[in-house]
């Protein structure tokens, strides 16, 4: 109930601020649970991913420091978030999302690069997908990258690609991980080109440092 209320509230707020977002490729979303994976370009792209994937409900990882604030902790817990220590992720970082996914009631939003300022993929999403027996769905966001830019009403587009199914027999050694990572990276590039053939992501933090 709380999740549905918050989703409706967020949808209303961002529509007032930025206008109606554009969602493409929704026909690629599986009926059961899955993991949305995409490059992390702004702090609010998970909100757009969750709205674009509606009516499916999503869980997501959040750094454990955010759960120290009681008000924020209440919101995060009821929005299906779970805490993760980024420096030393324990077994729960894998077990918790696998449990959610196996229930079939929640999908998961993950950023394989971990942070907004890294393009290097990590293997957590692949491991979770294989253990839970769910596909990875590649996703990209194009639009404003800062809160200030949201008010410019620059167009927001989220596009979903074809699911990447992980063979249960695939060994997740270095070669196996590399195989799935390559598929994800190619999918991200293809989706970006399908939205805008001239698109090139520039990290806002890098731009600020130059000035």
């Amino acid at each position: 109930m709380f999740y549905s209320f918050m989703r409706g509230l967020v949808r209303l707020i961002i529509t007032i601020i930025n206008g109606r977002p554009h969602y493409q490729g929704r026909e690629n979303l599986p009926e059961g649970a899955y993991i949305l994976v995409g490059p992390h370009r702004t702090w609010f792209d998970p909100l757009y991913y969750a709205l674009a994937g509606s009516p499916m409900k999503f869980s997501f990882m959040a750094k454990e420091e955010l759960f120290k604030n009681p008000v924020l902790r209440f919101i995060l817990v009821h929005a299906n978030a779970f805490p993760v220590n980024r420096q030393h992720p324990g077994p729960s970082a894998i077990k918790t999302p696998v449990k959610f996914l196996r229930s079939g009631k929640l999908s998961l939003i993950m950023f394989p690069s971990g942070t907004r300022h890294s393009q290097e993929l990590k293997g957590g999403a692949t491991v979770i997908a294989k253990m839970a027996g769910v596909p990875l769905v590649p996703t990209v966001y194009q639009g404003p990258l800062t809160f200030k830019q949201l008010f410019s009403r620059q167009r927001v587009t989220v596009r979903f690609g074809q699911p990447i199914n992980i063979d249960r027999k695939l060994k997740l050694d270095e070669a196996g991980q590399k195989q799935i990572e390559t598929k994800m990276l190619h999918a991200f590039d293809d989706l970006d080109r399908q939205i805008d053939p001239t698109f090139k992501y520039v990290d806002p933090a890098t731009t600020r440092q130059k000035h």
Side-chain angles (χ1 to χ4, degrees):
M1 189 71 181
F2 181 84
Y3 182 99
S4 298
F5 168 76
M6 288 300 296
R7 181 169 59 192
L9 180 62
V10 169
R11 181 182 286 114
L12 176 63
I13 291 171
I14 65 172
T15 301
I16 292 172
I17 292 175
N18 183 263
R20 189 178 295 276
H22 297 79
Y23 304 139
Q24 302 174 355
R26 279 178 47 85
E27 67 277 5
N28 292 321
L29 296 176
E31 289 191 9
Y34 53 88
I35 302 178
L36 277 184
V37 288
H40 200 3
R41 292 172 174 164
T42 174
W43 64 265
F44 44 79
D45 51 14
L47 298 179
Y48 277 102
Y49 285 178
L51 292 176
S54 178
M56 174 61 75
K57 294 181 179 180
F58 294 89
S59 61
F60 61 96
M61 297 179 177
K63 58 183 180 181
E64 63 181 8
E65 291 83 355
L66 297 176
F67 287 79
K68 292 179 180 178
N69 180 299
V71 175
L72 193 53
R73 181 173 64 240
F74 176 87
I75 294 173
L76 288 169
V77 169
H78 287 81
N80 305 319
F82 55 95
V84 173
N85 184 319
R86 285 185 174 179
Q87 300 301 319
H88 306 286
S92 62
I94 300 292
K95 291 180 179 179
T96 300
V98 167
K99 182 177 68 175
F100 285 156
L101 290 163
R102 283 179 175 170
S103 75
K105 296 177 182 178
L106 289 174
S107 287
L108 176 67
I109 294 173
M110 280 194 74
F111 298 99
S113 60
T115 72
R116 300 195 303 276
H117 312 301
S118 171
Q119 301 302 308
E120 181 182 347
L121 301 194
K122 300 174 177 65
T126 303
V127 172
I128 293 169
K130 184 180 179 185
M131 289 181 65
V134 300
L136 299 165
V137 177
T139 315
V140 297
Y141 164 97
Q142 287 187 22
L145 298 176
T146 65
F147 187 67
K148 183 179 179 180
Q149 289 174 359
L150 264 182
F151 288 86
S152 70
R153 298 184 78 82
Q154 177 186 345
R155 177 184 170 118
V156 168
T157 303
V158 173
R159 188 175 181 96
F160 301 108
Q162 291 279 351
I164 299 171
N165 293 295
I166 300 174
D167 191 332
R168 302 289 295 206
K169 298 177 183 176
L170 178 68
K171 290 184 178 180
L172 292 186
D173 52 14
E174 188 174 345
Q177 290 274 16
K178 190 70 176 176
Q179 178 183 327
I180 303 300
E181 288 172 12
T182 300
K183 286 185 178 181
M184 283 194 281
L185 288 171
H186 284 324
F188 298 158
D189 289 341
D190 287 344
L191 291 169
D192 274 327
R193 282 193 293 266
Q194 288 164 19
I195 298 173
D196 177 4
T198 66
F199 175 79
K200 183 175 176 58
Y201 171 68
V202 179
D203 187 342
T206 305
T207 306
R208 284 197 299 269
Q209 288 171 3
K210 289 181 178 178
H211 297 294

